[in-house]
Amino acid sequence: MPQKSYVVEALRKAQLLELLSKGTRLDGRALDQVRNLEIQTGLIEKANGSAMVSLGKTQVIAGVMIDKGTPFPDTPDKGLLIVGAEVLPMAASYVEAGPPDEKAIELARVVDRGVRESEMIDVSSLVIKEGKFVYAVFVDVNVLNVDGNLFDATNYAVVSALLTANMPEFVLEGDAVKNTGRKMPVPVSKIPVSLTMASINGMLLADPTAEEEGVMDARITLTTVDDGNICAGQKGEPGSLTQEQILTAADWAISRGKEIRAKIKEATHRD
């Protein structure tokens, strides 16, 4: 990196840290404030459900595809729910064409875990014939633009897509599965919402931008469900978090989760 870039980066970091010490950030937000959230649904005609989320300048689109499948050998009485993610080369300068890298794999796993552990979908209800035929729910995510906090933007997109998804009705006729041609809603009972927070010089801040992620010491993502309980968590980056920070993170995840859940319900027309 040219020396001029080093100087600019150092000055930017110094400015960021000075503002944080005063309880504010480069974009003027409070430490616990989330960027503007916009959700659009039904954008992909061929998908069973879809949603595009803009969280600040970070933009993610998710599509749901549902078909019949074969259950895993160790869970013959459960349907399939699989989340995959890809960061498109146009989304950020560091992304190269090719198979998903470690960051994309981690992104998919963290979001998948939050949705799965929340029991948003009762996968036991996705069984057509135990041990042989089940519904397979695939959620594919494409990151269109990166400006920090892909975890939350992806969570909101995946959840919104599932909330608006309809699945084909399959019936068992003898040893075969028939598609009746009718559609029915995906059996959703909960709305998991994640909140990602970064620790920088001992200060905790919600929904970090790319600049803030560039200087963070540690990261934590907590997912809550409708009753405010935390159902999943993931720590990232090598730095540590204090007990006080973890308790604060939990409080923020619950309070901000309630606000974001209301926006998701409004966008997806869910009661």
Side-chain angles (χ1 to χ4, degrees), residues 95-117:
V95 181
E96 298 181 357
D101 61 11
E102 291 181 1
K103 290 185 177 180
I105 293 172
E106 181 190 23
L107 172 62
R109 286 178 177 172
V110 171
V111 174
D112 183 283
R113 184 181 300 117
V115 173
R116 189 180 303 277
E117 293 300 322

Side-chain angles (χ1 to χ4, degrees), residues 236-250:
E237 304 305 310
S240 60
L241 295 164
T242 65
Q243 181 179 357
E244 183 181 357
Q245 284 181 312
I246 293 173
L247 292 174
T248 298

Side-chain angles (χ1 to χ4, degrees), residues 60-196:
V60 172
I61 190 166
V64 179
M65 296 298 292
I66 304 174
D67 204 345
K68 67 178 183 294
T70 304
F72 293 124
D74 57 337
T75 53
D77 58 343
K78 292 180 173 60
L80 306 180
L81 173 60
I82 299 173
V83 177
E86 180 180 1
V87 183
L88 300 181
M90 67 178 182
S93 58
Y94 67 82
V95 181
E96 298 181 357
D101 61 11
E102 291 181 1
K103 290 185 177 180
I105 293 172
E106 181 190 23
L107 172 62
R109 286 178 177 172
V110 171
V111 174
D112 183 283
R113 184 181 300 117
V115 173
R116 189 180 303 277
E117 293 300 322
S118 73
E119 298 183 345
M120 176 184 185
I121 297 175
D122 178 10
V123 290
S124 297
S125 68
L126 299 179
V127 177
I128 303 169
K129 182 176 182 179
E130 186 173 326
K132 194 167 184 181
F133 301 116
V134 296
Y135 285 92
V137 182
F138 298 97
V139 190
D140 293 318
V141 175
N142 282 309
V143 177
L144 306 178
N145 192 61
V146 178
D147 188 29
N149 196 9
L150 293 181
F151 294 102
D152 292 349
T154 300
N155 169 268
Y156 308 154
V158 168
V159 169
S160 298
L162 287 171
L163 285 170
T164 56
N166 289 305
M167 60 187 194
E169 182 185 56
F170 293 124
V171 295
L172 196 63
E173 292 189 353
D175 291 329
V177 174
K178 178 184 176 182
N179 187 339
T180 67
R182 294 188 291 267
K183 299 285 187 180
M184 54 186 184
V186 173
V188 172
S189 61
K190 297 176 183 176
I191 302 178
V193 172
S194 70
L195 185 71
T196 297

Side-chain angles (χ1 to χ4, degrees), residues 37-41 51 53 120 155-164 188-193 224-228 256-271:
L37 172 63
E38 295 180 3
I39 304 171
Q40 296 174 273
T41 62
V53 162
M120 176 184 185
N155 169 268
Y156 308 154
V158 168
V159 169
S160 298
L162 287 171
L163 285 170
T164 56
V188 172
S189 61
K190 297 176 183 176
I191 302 178
V193 172
T224 60
V225 287
D226 307 60
D227 59 7
R256 293 306 182 211
K258 184 177 180 180
E259 297 168 5
I260 294 164
R261 190 172 293 107
K263 291 185 178 181
I264 291 175
K265 287 182 177 181
E266 181 181 3
T268 58
H269 308 290
R270 301 286 297 207
D271 294 331

Side-chain angles (χ1 to χ4, degrees), residues 201-266:
N201 275 20
M203 290 169 283
L204 198 68
L205 55 153
D207 180 25
T209 62
E211 283 185 304
E212 291 167 340
E213 287 181 339
V215 297
M216 67 183 174
D217 306 308
R219 183 193 71 234
I220 188 169
T221 300
L222 298 177
T223 303
T224 60
V225 287
D226 307 60
D227 59 7
N229 283 326
I230 296 172
C231 64
Q234 176 77 20
K235 180 189 171 296
E237 304 305 310
S240 60
L241 295 164
T242 65
Q243 181 179 357
E244 183 181 357
Q245 284 181 312
I246 293 173
L247 292 174
T248 298
D251 288 339
W252 288 3
I254 294 168
S255 60
R256 293 306 182 211
K258 184 177 180 180
E259 297 168 5
I260 294 164
R261 190 172 293 107
K263 291 185 178 181
I264 291 175
K265 287 182 177 181
E266 181 181 3

